[in-house]
Structure formats: structure tokens, C-alpha cells
Amino acid sequence: MSNASLNTPSLSDVRQVLAAYGWDEGWEAGFAPYAAQELVPGRVVRVDRGQCDVVTAGGVLRADTAFVTPHDPLRVVCTGDWVAVEPDGNPRYVRTYLPRRTAFVRSTSSKRSEGQILAANVDHAIVAVSLAAELDLARIERFLALAWESGAQPLVVLTKADLVPDPVTLAHLVQDVETAAPGVPVLSVSAEQGEGLDVLAAVVAVGTAVLLGQSGAGKSTLANALLGADTMAVQAVQAVQAVRDVDGKGRHTTTTRNLLVMPGGGVLIDTPGLRGVGLWDASTGVGQVFAEIEELARGCRFHDCAHGSEPGCAVVAAIDTGELPVRRLESYRKLMRENQHIIAKTDARMRAELRKEGKRRGAIGKAAMEAKRGRAR
């Protein structure tokens, strides 16, 4: 589609076309001030190189995002945003995006300690984990911490279940993941054999889902299986590709996140494989992943217990009795340290508090050592 003039769509057209993409009364009310400015509502289905593809009541169009705080990585336009777009112009610009209901954010691998937003306005965060490799429970916990922090409901999908033909072994693997994911549904799926796809499709059919995971987790295969051969879905994908072919950009599809309408309802944001999954101010999410440790910690003698050598530690007591696996506590400590570190890089007050806490613990250790030496004399 070119950047020719686009007639301002009627309210009924907006409701009819964009409902399939998640448009509702809340978004309509939030867009009202921009409708008065004769801007056009739409949802971002793809972003790359400072431009984005936006689905509107009049079709898919290409728009520039330069007006939307380009230097703040957490405020750039991203896949899943609802935006206000100019009805015409060459180039055409996105003027703003509506306040996000949820946002999936991770820290970048750069030394600048910046956050990177991966998807917006997501209801379900689907963490795809391949059963073709040994389960990495710590990585699953890391994904779930970000998912909980985003405000979305997490779901772990164990893909390639056909590679584990023994049902007892498969049940044990599911149980292991359930232990690492309290309060999170765990579903084993085989796109090859179609097992579990009906359950997953029912989840995706309600709202917006984002598909996350490492390269090789089977995300693309899963997305294709959910899309099926539905004519409307295929046409939607082709429509976006046609827009990309106009300017010859967007050929590196593995580096972009695409929003697709599912044939059974709902939309899915497919993402490329994530090599790094750094936390970004995810203390609430970490707490939810390790809910049993947070609950045990309420019984510790000291409110700031580090769950180490402190007397009266309920968490350590649970380790001793076998109630809590050592691996869970180690993973919890690691993620909490990482989260404090990333916050400290961006928050001067937190840095001061961490230095103060370090000095306090150092003093306690020094006093304990001196007391030990005194008893040895």
C-alpha cells in the first residue's frame, strides 16, 4: 500500500475491522481526543528501521515513528501498540501511541543498561521450551519473571512433545516445570502430531498473546500450526508482506516481531529467538515466580534476612527439611542480585542503599570473625 491519502474511517468501520485485532470500548475512549484531530487509529503489526506497518480500517499502511520519542528505548513504538496515524502525507507519521495496558520489557545486552520493549498490550505470554534439549529450569524461571512483570498471564508450552514418546517421562518433565512455575499452566504440545494445539488455540483466541523463547524452541512451527490454512489469515500475512515489498525493506524477518490474526480469534505476536533474557526492574515478577520462597521468608526472624547464615531463617529451615529444593533458592538469589544490579545502574538512590547494605553486612562478618578469634584464644 502506498502513502496516498487515506480517508478518515467511520466509527463503524473502525469497530468492524479492528475488532479482530483487539479494538474495544476502552481503546475507543482513549483514542477520542485524536479522533477529534482527524487522526486514524490502528495497531502496529510490525516495526523495523524507525518505521512500522499499521493495520487500520482502511488497510495496512506504512508510517514513520520519528515523532514518538525515538531516543528512549522504552517509549518507542513497538509491535502491539495502538497508535494515532496521520491520514495522509509522504512520509506518513505516527503521532503518538495510546497508554499501554501491559508491556514485555527486558534489559539489553549493551553496557548502557537500557530496557528494550518487545511487545505491548499483551494478555498472554507464551514461553516456548523445546523438549528436544535438556530442560533449563533457571531459564524458564527467568522468562516467567519478565512475563509476570509485564502484567500478562504466563503460560509455558513444552514443544516437540512427540520426541518424548514415553508418557511417564513426559509427565515427569511437565511436573519439573510446574515446580519451577508455581501458578503457571504448563502444556505439552506437538505441532507435528497436532497434540495440545486445540488447548493452546483456545488460550490464544482470547485477547493478544506473545510467543517467546530461544532459537530452536519451535515458535515459528507453533505459530504456523495455529494459523493453519485459514484464507483470511493467509491474506492478512500476505497484505503485510506486500507493504514490505513496496520499499524493498524488511527482508530480515528473523529480527522483527509480527502481529498475526488467528483464524479462531485473538492475535499472536511472533518473536525471533531471544539469545539473552536480562531482567529489567522485575522484582515483582521474581517474587511471583518464587512465591513459595517469598511466603517462607515471612517466617524469618529478621525482615531483611538474606537466607544464608542468619539465625531463625525459615527458608534455610525449609532447605534442611527438603521442603524447598536448593536449586530454587540459588536461582532466586541469582535473579534477585541481577535485578538489584540493573536497578542500581539506573537509580542513584538504589546504588547508595546497596553500598550501605554491603558495608553493614561487611561489618557483621568482621564482628563475627573477631568474636570467633576471641573464642579461639
Side-chain angles (χ1 to χ4, degrees):
M1 183 174 179
S2 68
N3 275 346
S5 178
L6 179 71
N7 294 328
T8 303
S10 67
L11 187 58
S12 60
D13 288 340
V14 170
R15 290 172 177 171
Q16 181 177 357
V17 176
L18 296 185
Y21 290 86
W23 183 261
D24 57 28
E25 293 181 356
W27 294 121
E28 186 174 308
F31 191 81
Y34 307 108
Q37 301 173 33
E38 296 188 346
L39 295 175
V40 175
R43 194 166 195 189
V44 177
V45 297
R46 180 189 175 105
V47 178
D48 62 276
R49 295 188 180 93
Q51 294 188 310
C52 62
D53 297 326
V54 182
V55 61
T56 70
V60 179
L61 55 83
R62 187 74 169 157
D64 196 296
T65 64
F67 275 104
V68 189
T69 321
H71 302 300
D72 184 343
L74 294 182
R75 297 180 65 187
V76 298
V77 171
C78 81
T79 303
D81 272 328
W82 286 99
V83 297
V85 188
E86 294 175 341
D88 54 30
N90 191 9
R92 177 184 281 115
Y93 288 97
V94 171
R95 284 295 173 176
T96 189
Y97 61 80
L98 300 186
R100 293 160 176 157
R101 294 177 181 175
T102 62
F104 193 95
V105 181
R106 67 166 179 174
S107 68
T108 64
S109 57
S110 71
K111 296 181 180 179
R112 292 178 295 178
S113 302
E114 294 179 338
Q116 178 190 22
I117 182 165
L118 299 181
N121 303 312
V122 172
D123 301 293
H124 306 283
I126 302 172
V127 180
V129 180
S130 174
L131 289 175
E134 184 177 355
L135 287 177
D136 186 343
L137 297 178
R139 179 169 288 272
I140 294 173
E141 290 162 346
R142 179 178 292 273
F143 268 107
L144 291 177
L146 292 176
W148 279 122
E149 192 70 31
S150 75
Q153 170 64 49
L155 166 67
V156 177
V157 173
L158 303 179
T159 65
K160 307 179 184 180
D162 51 286
L163 299 181
V164 187
D166 180 22
V168 175
T169 301
L170 180 60
H172 283 308
L173 291 172
V174 171
Q175 186 176 22
D176 287 343
V177 177
E178 288 175 339
T179 301
V184 177
V186 179
L187 176 66
S188 60
V189 169
S190 170
E192 182 74 20
Q193 299 179 354
E195 295 178 2
L197 288 178
D198 55 341
V199 178
L200 184 57
V203 173
V204 174
V206 181
T208 299
V210 62
L211 191 53
L212 306 157
Q214 289 181 283
S215 296
K219 298 187 303 300
S220 296
T221 301
L222 202 57
N224 289 335
L226 290 170
L227 274 171
D230 182 84
T231 303
M232 291 181 64
V234 172
Q235 288 177 347
V237 175
Q238 291 174 339
V240 174
Q241 185 59 50
V243 174
R244 307 306 305 115
D245 289 341
V246 168
D247 56 13
K249 297 179 180 179
R251 304 207 194 304
H252 301 289
T253 56
T254 56
T255 63
T256 61
R257 291 168 284 278
N258 303 293
L259 186 148
L260 306 168
V261 176
M262 294 290 101
V267 295
L268 178 69
I269 299 176
D270 189 17
T271 66
L274 299 175
R275 290 189 296 271
V277 198
L279 299 186
W280 179 260
D281 195 5
S283 56
T284 300
V286 173
Q288 286 182 275
V289 174
F290 298 93
E292 81 279 29
I293 295 180
E294 299 265 306
E295 180 63 29
L296 287 167
R298 294 189 179 94
C300 292
R301 182 180 301 177
F302 303 107
H303 75 279
D304 59 347
C305 182
H307 317 310
S309 58
E310 294 91 343
C313 177
V315 175
V316 173
I319 292 287
D320 293 339
T321 61
E323 178 185 352
L324 179 69
V326 174
R327 189 205 66 79
R328 285 282 285 172
L329 179 57
E330 291 176 345
S331 183
Y332 172 74
R333 285 171 171 164
K334 181 178 181 179
L335 292 183
M336 288 297 287
R337 285 195 303 268
E338 179 182 329
N339 196 62
Q340 287 181 333
H341 181 67
I342 194 67
I343 293 174
K345 281 188 173 182
T346 57
D347 190 326
R349 184 174 61 180
M350 174 63 77
R351 287 197 297 271
E353 290 177 354
L354 288 178
R355 283 196 296 269
K356 182 178 179 181
E357 178 65 12
K359 290 180 179 179
R360 186 184 75 84
R361 293 192 181 280
I364 292 174
K366 183 178 180 181
M369 183 61 71
E370 291 176 349
K372 184 177 180 180
R373 288 172 178 168
R375 288 193 297 270
R377 291 194 184 110

